[in-house]
Amino acid sequence: NGSISSQFITGLLFALSLLNGTSNIIVTGKLESKPYVDITQLALKTFGVNTENFQISGSFPFRSPGDVTVEGDWSNGAFFLGAKALGSSVEVTNLNTNSPQGDRAITEILTTKSSMLQISAADIPDLVPVMAVVFAAKGGAVFTNIQRLRLKESDRVASVCDMINRLGGIATATEDTLTVFPGQYYSCTIDSVGDHR
């Protein structure tokens, strides 16, 4: 089921490329976080493995293309780009604007001049925590398609609400939306609940 986590699909893509014979992955439901699957398929293609249409020919030895440069990580860069959007003097370099990484959407989202911006988290779930902080300070936002955020390393819906409310903003959630309202930030202690985001 593609609506639960792209990680199942990316793991299968790697594993099936090492098995004998041809394998097919049949994704049911809507494929969420598709950019993460695209990144995996591009990496496999770089090493000679074709996974087009989720058909994987196994027993295919990975072939090194020689030197490979790993591009900058938009998910981690988003924290610094968010700080810059809030007025910090930060310069972020080495992020490929043509990357298949879905989280590169952060640049377009941060430049949108709108109060209570509506943002779908379907393909960019890892951006929600940092964007919630930014938009609680910039006019608010409504994040939709957030159901899967409850299944991450923590319940990111609950932890983001707790974080924003402790910081002085207001955050509320329904089953499929997370809304952050602007507020005045205060000094406080935040529990990261063991989640790297």
Side-chain angles (χ1 to χ4, degrees):
N1 187 337
S3 68
I4 297 172
S5 174
S6 63
Q7 293 176 358
F8 297 122
I9 298 165
T10 58
L12 283 170
L13 286 167
F14 279 109
L16 295 175
S17 65
L18 299 174
L19 295 180
N20 290 327
T22 298
S23 301
N24 292 285
I25 299 174
I26 300 168
V27 179
T28 61
K30 182 177 186 283
L31 175 54
E32 301 279 354
S33 299
K34 185 179 180 303
Y36 297 108
V37 175
D38 294 340
I39 293 167
T40 302
Q41 289 184 293
L42 181 61
L44 286 167
K45 185 175 182 179
T46 300
F47 286 85
V49 179
N50 184 8
T51 62
E52 192 174 346
N53 299 318
F54 296 126
Q55 184 176 62
I56 305 101
S57 296
S59 302
F60 195 89
F62 288 84
R63 290 190 317 263
S64 173
D67 291 339
V68 177
T69 301
V70 178
E71 64 181 49
D73 183 359
W74 280 95
S75 301
N76 287 322
F79 290 89
F80 299 100
L81 294 169
K84 183 174 184 172
L86 292 176
S88 293
S89 178
V90 175
E91 181 181 357
V92 181
T93 60
N94 200 33
L95 293 176
N96 177 4
T97 56
N98 296 315
S99 170
Q101 296 178 59
D103 289 351
R104 69 185 167 89
I106 189 77
T107 55
E108 183 179 335
I109 293 168
L110 289 176
T111 58
T112 303
K113 309 280 190 232
S114 174
S115 293
M116 292 313 288
L117 188 64
Q118 295 237 359
I119 304 167
S120 171
D123 283 338
I124 53 171
D126 289 346
L127 291 182
V128 171
V130 68
M131 287 193 302
V133 171
V134 171
F135 285 105
K138 286 188 69 161
V142 177
F143 299 94
T144 60
N145 301 305
I146 60 145
Q147 300 90 330
R148 288 175 315 109
L149 289 170
R150 297 182 189 279
L151 307 173
K152 294 288 190 174
E153 287 78 355
S154 70
D155 178 342
R156 287 190 186 158
V157 175
S159 59
V160 166
C161 283
D162 181 63
M163 171 182 64
I164 296 299
N165 292 329
R166 285 178 183 268
L167 284 169
I170 299 170
T172 61
T174 66
E175 185 178 329
D176 59 356
T177 64
L178 168 65
T179 304
V180 294
F181 299 92
Q184 180 65 47
Y185 279 165
Y186 302 100
S187 176
C188 67
T189 300
I190 302 294
D191 182 358
S192 70
V193 295
D195 192 325
H196 62 290
R197 299 288 176 211

